[in-house]
Amino acid sequence: MSVNDYLELVRAPAVLTVLGDTLAGGSAAGHALGGRRMALPLASACLYAGGMALNDYADRTVDARERPERPIPSGRISARSALAAAAGLTVAGLGLSAVGGGRPALAVGVPLAASIWTYDLIAKNHAVPGALTMGACRALDVLMGAGFGHLRLALSAAAIMGGHTVGVTVLSRGEVHGTTTTTASGVAAGTALLASAVVGGTLQSGGKESRNQILALLAATAAYAGRCAPAQVRAARNPVATNALDATKAGIRAMVPLQAALTVRHGNLAAAGVLASVDLFGKLMRTRSGNRKLSES
């Protein structure tokens, strides 16, 4: 078992896409970026990585038929080791949530962890409950950044991130056998609605935002839609498995500019700058040299 095998198990490039959830939630709640709160993105990363390890543990029989190259069916990581990694990362994530946000963050982190395990072990086997549970996981991750006492302020950001995640999850079910034109078209339409919601939520607030903030918001929102919508449209036109897979990957990568747009919407340009750096690092990871590229889905 090598480090690269574990990085593949937890979908290391995709882990970067959760770092901005708590930044978006914290920005909505008015929390400053810095100090102990910097542990919250790491908490999200651990919980997400644990969920990915648990996902492969739960899917090990199916993957032996459909994705034999994955770490468990290929024999590079044992099922027992994957389960241990999932449990350890979950515990670490909860501990970091307590460090970064105290009891208010932990109060959201516990149901978040429970939702992740529920999805991987039960809900994912059912289309609609699975997608909704995954969306709830992402929404709770955003709310963890706000903290239990400030949930109302972050509900809009949580709903937007959760809605996008539902669409990505629905498309991901077609990665092996293909999706449908109706499904991919609906997800593409959802992307347009979410982009409108991000921009509309700020532009309708009375014009108090600076011109630079509005321009940054429009740029981040355009980056979000431009990152995922074209692949979704291609999947709608030709819903074969490869297009569904490409649309899923694009949707995962689009989460970072969406988080950036949400932080800008609440005036946190510093957090948006951090997320721009995360996005750039993700691009570098995807183009890394090596014999085996790390999967994101």
Side-chain angles (χ1 to χ4, degrees):
M1 294 180 288
S2 69
V3 172
N4 200 69
D5 292 332
Y6 275 101
L7 291 176
E8 185 177 349
L9 178 73
V10 302
R11 315 292 197 276
V15 171
L16 295 175
T17 69
V18 300
L19 297 177
D21 285 346
T22 54
L23 296 183
S27 298
H31 297 310
L33 177 65
R36 292 174 55 187
R37 293 194 60 81
M38 294 306 296
L40 288 176
L42 298 178
S44 298
C46 287
L47 291 171
Y48 184 93
M52 289 294 98
L54 184 63
N55 173 80
D56 277 19
Y57 170 81
D59 282 357
R60 61 193 185 280
T61 302
V62 175
D63 284 345
R65 299 192 305 269
E66 298 181 350
R67 298 180 177 92
E69 73 282 358
R70 282 188 168 176
I72 296 177
S74 67
R76 288 179 284 125
I77 292 181
S78 69
R80 183 175 180 179
S81 296
L83 182 59
L89 286 165
T90 299
V91 172
L94 291 175
L96 285 168
S97 72
V99 170
R103 291 182 180 178
L106 184 61
V108 183
V110 170
L112 168 57
S115 297
I116 292 171
W117 281 67
T118 298
Y119 172 80
D120 283 327
L121 299 179
I122 302 173
K124 67 182 296 181
N125 298 317
H126 309 280
V128 175
L132 293 177
T133 302
M134 183 59 82
C137 289
R138 183 65 73 148
L140 285 168
D141 200 28
V142 173
L143 294 176
M144 185 169 70
F148 189 76
H150 301 87
L151 298 183
R152 184 181 60 81
L153 296 173
L155 286 178
S156 176
I160 289 171
M161 287 304 304
H164 176 74
T165 303
V166 169
V168 173
T169 305
V170 168
L171 272 177
S172 72
R173 298 185 71 86
E175 289 180 4
V176 176
H177 303 293
T179 184
T180 67
T181 295
T182 300
T183 296
S185 297
V187 173
T191 295
L193 288 174
L194 290 173
S196 298
V198 173
V199 175
T202 293
L203 297 182
Q204 295 174 7
S205 63
K208 296 180 181 179
E209 301 78 15
S210 69
R211 184 171 181 270
N212 289 339
Q213 181 184 348
I214 293 176
L215 290 176
L217 174 69
L218 293 174
T221 305
Y224 157 65
R227 183 75 57 87
C228 60
Q232 294 166 353
V233 171
R234 285 194 296 272
R237 291 175 175 172
N238 185 14
V240 296
T242 53
N243 285 343
L245 176 59
D246 288 344
T248 300
K249 291 180 178 179
I252 293 172
R253 296 168 186 173
M255 289 179 176
V256 179
L258 178 56
Q259 293 158 347
L262 291 171
T263 60
V264 172
R265 170 173 149 173
H266 295 286
N268 196 340
L269 298 180
V274 170
L275 290 172
S277 299
V278 169
D279 195 38
L280 178 59
F281 182 68
K283 291 179 181 179
L284 294 175
M285 284 192 69
R286 291 193 293 271
T287 57
R288 66 191 290 272
S289 60
N291 295 327
R292 185 173 61 249
K293 288 187 176 181
L294 299 177
S295 174
E296 296 173 82
S297 63

